[in-house]
Amino acid sequence: MLAEEKRRRLQVAFKVRDDWNEVCHTAHLGWQERNLVIVPNPKGTPEVDYKPQFDEEDPSRGTLLFPVHFLYPQHAASDTVPDFHEDTSFGGQLAAMFPPNAEPPNWDKAGEYVNGRLSIYAATSKRRLLRIGKKMTLRHVIREAGKDGDGLELQSGCLAFSVVPRGEVETNWIAEFKRNT
């Protein structure tokens, strides 16, 4: 009886391990296929609970949901969207984050962060700066960034995009980015 229970527990443990290995392998292939560059956490920084995951509503397990940091460099502020669907447009996401007639975020004292007056950028692992159109989906941006052996960085399980108001703030931010490259 004891040996039978031990054998059953081992079978369950091996099944869990095999299932986990399959998920990890599939996720790794998904990241490779998307030319994402995995950046390890710097030593001494806390681990976060963010990680890309498969869309449970996609039976093919081919669509990922990514944690995304939206950075507002002008204010040293950010927002995190924990499950940004690959097929969501950036314009749609900004409309949800900055709805019309809504109060501005508490860090936006000048009221500059208004949907329709913002630009979105992604920095690649080779330090290229990509301007993202509002109609572009996350999947499209990942594909564009992955050209020529480049790709977006996945750090602490998240992708990051910078959002700046159009005009002088944008021009200054791009100049600063180029100086630091």
Side-chain angles (χ1 to χ4, degrees), residues 63-84:
T63 304
L64 289 170
L65 305 172
F66 286 92
V68 170
H69 291 307
F70 284 96
L71 310 174
Y72 313 111
Q74 171 189 18
H75 298 286
S78 66
D79 283 319
T80 300
V81 176
D83 53 0
F84 194 113

Side-chain angles (χ1 to χ4, degrees), residues 43-143:
K43 289 184 179 177
T45 59
E47 290 292 323
V48 294
D49 289 333
Y50 297 120
K51 61 183 175 260
Q53 56 191 340
F54 289 103
D55 180 1
E56 293 178 6
E57 295 177 12
D58 178 4
S60 73
R61 307 219 358 123
T63 304
L64 289 170
L65 305 172
F66 286 92
V68 170
H69 291 307
F70 284 96
L71 310 174
Y72 313 111
Q74 171 189 18
H75 298 286
S78 66
D79 283 319
T80 300
V81 176
D83 53 0
F84 194 113
H85 194 283
E86 280 185 302
D87 297 324
T88 298
S89 73
F90 278 84
Q93 185 62 49
L94 282 184
M97 293 167 65
F98 300 102
N101 304 320
E103 287 290 318
N106 60 0
W107 46 261
D108 182 20
K109 303 293 184 210
E112 296 174 295
Y113 283 76
V114 176
N115 189 29
R117 294 190 291 187
L118 300 171
S119 292
I120 309 165
Y121 289 89
T124 69
S125 65
K126 292 186 176 180
R127 303 299 291 158
R128 287 187 305 138
L129 190 59
L130 306 176
R131 187 164 195 235
I132 300 169
K134 302 291 189 287
K135 293 181 182 178
M136 292 177 77
T137 64
L138 180 56
R139 185 186 304 269
H140 186 224
V141 172
I142 290 170
R143 189 175 325 121

